Amino acid sequence: QIIKIYESNLNNDSEYIPDVSSYKTYISQYGTSLRSDKIVKARKFWKDMFSTLPEPYLDIGQERKLNGKRKSFHIDKILNQQIEIFLEKNNRSVNALFICTYFIYRYKKNRITDSTIGIPLLGRDGRKQRSIFGNFVNTMPYRFLLDKQLSVFEVLKKISDDLRKCYIYHNYPFYMLCKELQIYRQGETKLYNVCINYYNTKHERIIDQMPIVNKEFYNGEQ
């Protein structure tokens, strides 16, 4: 929208008006959705998944520190192509592959078979919500019990199938689940300590015929 506004002003074109829906409309719809039958089913789904609570992966102590550091790893072109071919052949997603990799790594390193991660999701349903400025992200917890007898391919299939089921109820607010499970402790939740966040944002690369360099900044906190 910013690019289109800039270009319209540059070309003295005052006709462009961003198609932006009202946040008030979203709030009203959100309140209605929390009283729907689907929310009742979602509540049961998540409570069944966490009928028992998993052990926390990391002991971060009583003091919650937000300071963080970032390491970036770039996958080389050949390996990237191999991953794409593998996923296309097996009809699996990049997200499911890296979640699978993490769970297997955790088992190989610490012999842990009961793992829970947080998966941040966009939280926007439909074109209208996508046009509203703001943060709609809802974290979806995902618990996986690894069967040591399964092959890597079978584990990946199980995760893919699980995620499809979870996505049906992904709009259930995480804070409501924490309240239901009574896991709040000193202002933080122990349900999971690791997030796996996959996003494939498509950035504009040209503004008024000028190339753009997109760079992600890290704020030093996590």
Side-chain angles (χ1 to χ4, degrees):
Q1 289 177 358
I2 292 174
I3 291 174
K4 289 180 179 178
I5 292 172
Y6 172 82
E7 290 180 339
S8 65
N9 288 336
L10 195 68
N11 298 320
N12 295 320
D13 180 9
S14 59
E15 294 183 0
Y16 175 73
I17 300 176
D19 181 16
V20 181
S21 299
S22 169
Y23 197 80
K24 291 181 180 180
T25 302
Y26 163 74
I27 293 174
S28 176
Q29 294 173 344
Y30 182 74
T32 301
S33 69
L34 293 181
R35 298 185 295 272
S36 66
D37 293 337
K38 187 175 181 180
I39 284 293
V40 176
K41 295 178 181 178
R43 177 176 176 269
K44 183 180 184 306
F45 175 83
W46 294 113
K47 287 197 71 175
D48 288 346
M49 179 179 290
F50 295 101
S51 57
T52 60
L53 295 181
E55 291 294 324
Y57 180 29
L58 300 174
D59 182 13
I60 58 177
Q62 294 183 354
E63 182 181 359
R64 186 178 184 183
K65 296 181 179 180
L66 298 179
N67 296 339
K69 295 181 180 179
R70 168 168 291 185
K71 289 185 178 181
S72 297
F73 301 91
H74 297 274
I75 298 175
D76 65 69
K77 187 176 182 180
I78 295 177
L79 179 57
N80 187 65
Q81 290 175 342
Q82 292 174 335
I83 290 175
E84 289 179 348
I85 292 171
F86 170 80
L87 293 174
E88 184 177 358
K89 180 180 178 181
N90 293 277
N91 192 28
R92 304 297 175 214
S93 68
V94 176
N95 190 37
L97 175 66
F98 280 94
I99 291 174
C100 176
T101 303
Y102 168 73
F103 286 147
I104 292 175
Y105 165 77
R106 190 176 179 195
Y107 169 70
K108 291 289 187 180
K109 184 174 176 63
N110 303 109
R111 290 295 184 264
I112 296 174
T113 57
D114 185 356
S115 301
T116 299
I117 61 171
I119 304 177
L121 297 177
L122 186 63
R124 298 172 184 262
D125 296 323
R127 185 185 64 82
K128 288 187 176 181
Q129 288 189 10
R130 290 175 184 269
S131 71
I132 303 175
F133 183 83
N135 184 7
F136 289 70
V137 175
N138 183 48
T139 303
M140 182 182 78
Y142 171 50
R143 186 178 190 177
F144 182 70
L145 302 176
L146 190 146
D147 184 346
K148 294 175 287 186
Q149 305 303 317
L150 297 180
S151 68
V152 172
F153 295 96
E154 290 171 326
V155 172
L156 180 57
K157 181 182 184 302
K158 178 70 167 57
I159 290 173
S160 298
D161 294 342
D162 283 352
L163 290 176
R164 289 191 185 97
K165 296 176 184 177
C166 291
Y167 290 148
I168 296 175
Y169 303 109
H170 76 275
N171 281 333
Y172 190 73
F174 180 65
Y175 77 90
M176 288 180 61
L177 177 61
C178 292
K179 186 176 181 180
E180 290 281 351
L181 300 177
Q182 299 180 346
I183 58 174
Y184 280 120
R185 180 183 178 185
Q186 296 184 356
E188 62 179 324
T189 173
K190 297 289 186 178
L191 189 57
Y192 64 84
N193 289 312
V194 173
C195 279
I196 295 182
N197 187 10
Y198 171 74
Y199 52 96
N200 58 347
T201 308
K202 293 179 176 60
H203 297 285
E204 297 287 346
R205 298 185 180 274
I206 298 292
I207 296 181
D208 189 40
Q209 301 180 352
M210 294 184 296
I212 305 171
V213 176
N214 293 292
K215 183 176 181 180
E216 183 176 1
F217 291 95
Y218 179 52
N219 66 3
E221 296 184 349
Q222 187 64 40

